[in-house]
Amino acid sequence: MSTVPGLAPLAVKICGLTDIASVDAALDAGADLIGLVFFPPSPRNVSIELGAALAERARGRAEIVALTVDAAPDLLDEIVTRVRPTLLQFHGKETPETIAATRARTGCPVMKAIGISGAEDLAAIEIYREAADRLLLDAKAPKGATRPGGNGAAFDWTLLGALDRSFPFMLSGGLTPETVADAVATVRPAAVDVSSGVETAPGRKDPARIAAFVAAARQGVARHPESV
């Protein structure tokens, strides 16, 4: 978790980075975490070789998050061995047992993404919180979607108003430089995550929007220091 002098801590994750330039843009903007996607259907997918190179670029300057979707154990093991992420992100239908077993086998901390569209989806938080080191609350994928996650859409943040803050969570789903400050004030997350909201096209990050997103997230804390 980063700490901005005089402000409450808030971590910022830039996900779906696919080249050195976008990694550098995220680091230069002050991102705390970078996300690498290992899921071929995604336009942000990277190979193990490229992912390892991007991870080395960021190592020591930001946490490295490896995103997978219902990945086989051998793929997870290869990612941990070759990419050496600081966090494995599970974005599919993985069970708590699978997540806990992966953490025990690899020794790598894990984060589970939970799709939210209504109050009934909040029950999954209790189901996964013992198995995962962190939780990411994202918009639930719309019907017919070929990829998990909100696909650039937000969900009703007020659904999270009564959550127990003793287990810190990351907020994702439809965040942009224009909306993240309000999200921080409304939801009071420990961290925020963005991918398509800082792109000019799927998989193509815009350095200016990355910088604007990080700055806006920090400004959201500055305006509402009690919110995080």
Side-chain angles (χ1 to χ4, degrees), residues 12 25 41 58 91 103 116-117 153 162 164 174-175 202 209-210 216 221:
V12 179
H91 219 101
R103 178 171 60 181
I116 306 292
S117 65
D164 176 8
L175 297 178
R209 286 189 67 77
I210 289 175
V221 180

Side-chain angles (χ1 to χ4, degrees), residues 24-121:
D24 285 347
L27 296 173
D28 291 344
D32 305 282
L33 308 94
I34 66 153
L36 306 173
V37 176
F38 299 92
F39 182 55
S42 171
R44 303 166 188 90
N45 178 65
V46 295
S47 66
I48 296 289
E49 292 76 16
L50 177 55
L54 299 179
E56 285 309 306
R57 187 76 168 189
R59 199 171 309 283
R61 298 180 62 189
E63 287 193 64
I64 300 156
V65 184
L67 185 157
T68 65
V69 180
D70 300 312
D74 58 348
L75 175 58
L76 293 169
D77 292 346
E78 185 178 13
I79 291 170
V80 170
T81 299
R82 298 180 59 187
V83 179
R84 297 191 296 131
T86 50
L87 193 66
L88 278 174
Q89 179 176 329
F90 294 87
H91 219 101
K93 298 179 180 179
E94 303 89 356
T95 65
E97 293 76 17
T98 295
I99 292 170
T102 302
R103 178 171 60 181
R105 186 180 71 254
T106 65
C108 187
V110 298
M111 177 164 65
K112 180 67 178 80
I114 297 174
I116 306 292
S117 65
E120 67 279 4
D121 297 315

Side-chain angles (χ1 to χ4, degrees), residues 4 50-51 80 84 98 104 112 135 137 158 193 204 212 219 226:
V4 178
L50 177 55
V80 170
R84 297 191 296 131
T98 295
K112 180 67 178 80
L135 295 178
L137 306 184
T158 63
D193 173 57
R204 298 186 63 182
Q219 290 166 5
E226 76 288 352

